[in-house]
């Protein structure tokens, strides 16, 4: 085979697309119910937007970005996630001047140059939401609960949220010191990345996936023990609200997110039966990011969920996905005059909102009806020599094989009646 998709990328063929459309449609319904509006953002951005937002020492920025120079010599990057692009747009269009809360959602491809494994892709799709301008933990709980509704609406069961607080700028220095004190004497045993990050961003050491590093850092102090009074109060109120909204969750003080912009609430959603490999979604607050990118200080929270991960779990749970509507009518024809009638009739039916598949070559009636079956048509309209002569068509119910003769001038109305159109 001469040409193939790149490693870590995949084609999504029509039978699978019905699952994608099901997921997207369910998500859109829920977003509507919670007052979120869609925003569409470019896939390509200036590299520094991601470096500034996600963090210079994060794995995404250090190892996983598709970055290249465009023909004008600018460094550009295929977006590895949506939040940084969203915040760029929010600041660029001064959206922070609009009254809060503002709620946005997006869907689309993201790119990370990761080692491809099952359901870890280099191009993957996220559905994401960002809510702006509200500090109240009631919103944190609402957004977590909205993600539960999206996932359960799609058909997933047995989900669990892991939730914690990682504090704010005020509590961070004390925690950083405590963490560094814990890590210092073990530092030589950590991988070179962790050693490098010790002074620049020690919190990133908690996110290292190297098995030795994972075991050496066991017992490190949890950030939750170092929250300032305001962050503690925020976290207590969040816990109260997730219980109120019946979100299935556990508090996981060791939860670490791979992006630097988070403050206070962070969360991930896992299927109950699986390990971290299959995290379905994650998110959190990023109350300082808008200001850091040049906007007015604006509290913010969001999440994103990976469509491929949702599909993995739908398949594991053997969830029945409704298939896409099939074309309703197949027009079979024999002879040159029949062809002219078929072309015109097909157009009229489509104009009336009735999906039509036409035969494409003069084949036997049997072959044409076989094709009608394989495309899943409910009815076939057959136009042969006799029908042309009598200005009629033969209408065949593809399920019962019952046939009736209908005047050509009546067929559109008859089909509309049969199909409740
Ligand atoms: P994230 O945790 O990096 O968060 O990604 C969110 C979800 O994207 C993951 O839980 C997973 O389902 C999916 N995902 C990530 N990488 C891959 C991959 N290589 N292959 C397949 N699926 C993947 C963010 O991206 C943040 N922007 C979330 C957020 C929004 N935080 C605040 N607002």
């Amino acid at each position: 085979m001469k040409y193939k998709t790149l490693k870590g990328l995949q084609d999504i063929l029509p039978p699978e697309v019905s699952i994608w459309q099901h997921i997207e449609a369910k998500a859109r319904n829920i977003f509507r119910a919670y007052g979120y509006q869609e925003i569409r953002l470019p896939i390509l951005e200036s590299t520094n937007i991601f470096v500034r937002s996600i963090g210079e020492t994060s794995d995404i920025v250090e190892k996983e970005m598709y970055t290249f120079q465009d023909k004008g010599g600018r460094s550009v990057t295929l977006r590895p996630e949506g939040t940084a692009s969203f915040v760029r747009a929010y600041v660029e269009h001064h959206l922070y001047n609009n009254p809060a809360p503002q709620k946005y959602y997006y869907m689309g491809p993201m790119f990370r140059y990761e080692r491809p494994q099952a359901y870890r892709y280099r191009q993957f799709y996220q559905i994401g939401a960002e809510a702006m301008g509200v500090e109240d933990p009631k919103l944190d709980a609402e957004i977590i609960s909205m993600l539960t509704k999206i996932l359960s609406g799609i058909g997933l069961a047995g989900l669990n949220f892991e939730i914690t607080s990682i504090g704010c700028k005020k509590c961070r220095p004390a925690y950083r010191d405590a963490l560094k004190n814990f890590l210092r004497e073990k530092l030589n045993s950590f991988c070179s990345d962790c050693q490098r990050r010790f002074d620049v961003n020690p919190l990133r050491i908690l996110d290292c996936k190297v098995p030795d590093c994972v075991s050496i850092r066991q017992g490190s102090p949890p950030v939750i023990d170092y929250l300032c009074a305001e962050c503690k109060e925020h976290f207590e109120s969040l816990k109260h609200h997730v219980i109120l909204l019946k979100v299935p969750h556990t508090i996981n003080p060791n939860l670490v997110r791979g992006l630097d912009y988070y403050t206070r609430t962070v969360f991930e959603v896992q299927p109950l039966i699986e390990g971290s490999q299959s995290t379905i979604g994650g998110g959190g607050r990023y109350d300082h990011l808008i200001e850091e990118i040049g906007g007015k200080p604006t509290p913010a929270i969001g999440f994103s969920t990976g469509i491929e991960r949702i599909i993995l779990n739908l398949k594991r749970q053997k969830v029945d996905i409704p298939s896409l509507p099939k074309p309703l009518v197949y027009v079979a024809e024999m002879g040159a005059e029949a062809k002219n009638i078929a072309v015109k009739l097909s157009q009229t039916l489509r104009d009336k909102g009735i999906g039509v598949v036409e035969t494409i070559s003069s084949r036997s009636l049997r072959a044409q009806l076989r094709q009608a079956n394989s495309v899943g048509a409910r009815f076939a309209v057959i136009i042969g020599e006799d029908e042309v002569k009598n200005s009629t068509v033969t209408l065949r119910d593809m399920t019962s094989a019952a046939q009736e003769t209908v005047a050509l001038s009546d067929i559109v109305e008859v089909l509309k009646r049969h199909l409740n159109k």
Side-chain angles (χ1 to χ4, degrees):
M1 181 62 193
K2 199 167 166 195
Y3 299 112
K4 286 178 124 180
T5 49
L6 296 174
K7 206 168 163 189
L9 276 62
Q10 61 169 345
D11 299 314
I12 297 141
L13 302 180
E16 188 88 355
V17 167
S18 57
I19 309 181
W20 287 70
Q21 292 196 1
H22 165 77
I23 293 170
E24 290 159 2
K26 290 283 176 190
R28 282 183 203 282
N29 278 344
I30 301 288
F31 284 135
R32 214 168 293 129
Y34 282 76
Y36 281 69
Q37 334 169 52
E38 183 171 2
I39 184 163
R40 297 192 183 200
L41 301 161
I43 286 167
L44 203 59
E45 297 269 4
S46 291
T47 303
N48 56 19
I49 287 161
F50 300 113
V51 177
R52 279 292 301 275
S53 315
I54 301 169
E56 225 158 339
T57 49
S58 63
D59 271 0
I60 296 180
V61 170
E62 278 192 348
K63 302 175 187 165
E64 296 171 0
M65 295 208 302
Y66 279 88
T67 296
F68 55 95
Q69 282 208 339
D70 70 7
K71 292 195 193 301
R74 286 166 290 257
S75 178
V76 293
T77 296
L78 286 174
R79 61 179 184 193
E81 58 111 44
T83 310
S85 306
F86 167 74
V87 168
R88 195 263 315 133
Y90 189 79
V91 173
E92 185 174 337
H93 302 287
H94 308 289
L95 298 177
Y96 47 78
N97 286 331
N98 298 337
Q102 291 182 52
K103 300 169 163 185
Y104 301 88
Y105 79 89
Y106 48 85
M107 300 180 181
M110 309 289 159
F111 302 83
R112 295 186 192 174
Y113 196 82
E114 296 198 73
R115 202 161 56 79
Q117 322 170 356
Y119 294 91
R120 186 174 291 284
Y121 294 99
R122 289 182 173 170
Q123 176 178 333
F124 58 97
Y125 287 74
Q126 283 186 348
I127 297 175
E130 315 289 350
M132 314 303 288
V134 179
E135 211 177 340
D136 191 334
K138 185 181 95 171
L139 182 72
D140 306 32
E142 183 194 278
I143 208 163
I144 293 173
S145 160
M146 178 172 76
L147 179 54
T148 325
K149 296 277 176 217
I150 290 174
L151 297 173
S152 61
I154 289 168
L156 290 181
L159 301 169
N160 186 50
F161 276 83
E162 293 182 1
I163 301 175
T164 193
S165 172
I166 58 163
C168 65
K169 266 186 186 160
K170 217 162 103 189
C171 12
R172 204 59 60 80
Y175 178 62
R176 231 177 111 106
D177 288 349
L179 182 64
K180 283 178 81 172
N181 287 341
F182 175 85
L183 298 172
R184 190 167 284 112
E185 59 195 42
K186 309 172 178 51
L187 198 60
N188 286 340
S189 318
F190 278 100
C191 72
S192 56
D193 277 349
C194 285
Q195 295 193 20
R196 192 167 40 79
R197 288 166 177 174
F198 181 76
D199 282 317
V200 225
N201 193 354
L203 269 73
R204 284 270 69 90
I205 295 178
L206 300 175
D207 192 32
C208 179
K209 311 284 184 305
V210 175
D212 279 352
C213 299
V214 175
S215 69
I216 310 165
R217 69 169 185 249
Q218 289 278 328
S220 57
V223 60
I224 215 165
D225 292 351
Y226 291 81
L227 299 184
C228 65
E230 290 90 338
C231 287
K232 240 185 226 161
E233 194 186 324
H234 189 275
F235 188 45
E236 287 310 312
S237 173
L238 165 68
K239 288 194 280 189
H240 165 76
H241 282 96
V242 284
I243 292 170
L244 210 65
L245 291 172
K246 297 196 166 63
V247 174
H249 71 280
T250 41
I251 303 301
N252 177 2
N254 298 316
L255 178 63
V256 181
R257 302 272 301 135
L259 308 106
D260 274 359
Y261 47 63
Y262 291 116
T263 46
R264 294 189 165 170
T265 309
V266 289
F267 56 88
E268 281 187 350
V269 56
Q270 311 280 354
L272 273 178
I273 38 160
E274 269 302 311
S276 64
Q277 204 84 312
S278 69
T279 304
I280 299 174
R285 272 201 169 271
Y286 48 97
D287 290 343
H288 306 309
L289 186 59
I290 289 77
E291 197 180 348
E292 280 162 15
I293 297 294
K296 266 206 238 162
T298 310
I301 180 163
F303 70 75
S304 56
T305 170
I307 297 187
E308 293 83 355
R309 300 288 172 85
I310 296 176
I311 293 175
L312 161 72
N313 286 284
L314 286 172
K315 288 184 176 167
R316 286 207 171 129
Q317 295 183 12
K318 299 193 172 28
V319 178
D320 246 352
I321 305 298
S323 48
L324 288 176
K326 297 273 185 345
L328 297 169
V329 175
Y330 182 92
V331 180
E333 107 258 317
M334 273 133 317
E337 194 44 39
K339 193 176 203 160
N340 288 335
I341 297 171
V343 168
K344 282 207 309 213
L345 176 63
S346 301
Q347 190 179 49
T348 311
L349 289 171
R350 288 177 185 136
D351 287 346
K352 305 279 178 207
I354 297 172
V356 178
V357 173
E358 279 177 82
T359 184
I360 38 136
S361 62
S362 25
R363 279 175 291 180
S364 71
L365 181 60
R366 252 175 77 125
Q368 293 189 50
L369 290 180
R370 244 198 329 270
Q371 198 201 353
N373 248 331
S374 82
V375 299
R378 291 248 334 262
F379 293 97
V381 173
I382 302 163
I383 311 169
E385 277 173 22
D386 286 350
E387 284 85 354
V388 172
K389 236 184 277 156
N390 303 326
S391 294
T392 58
V393 299
T394 300
L395 180 63
R396 180 183 174 96
D397 183 320
M398 293 303 296
T399 320
S400 66
Q403 297 198 158
E404 59 180 309
T405 302
V406 179
L408 179 60
S409 54
D410 292 344
I411 183 64
V412 175
E413 284 312 309
V414 171
L415 274 170
K416 274 170 71 179
R417 221 171 25 247
H418 281 321
L419 296 165
N420 292 326
K421 286 269 181 186

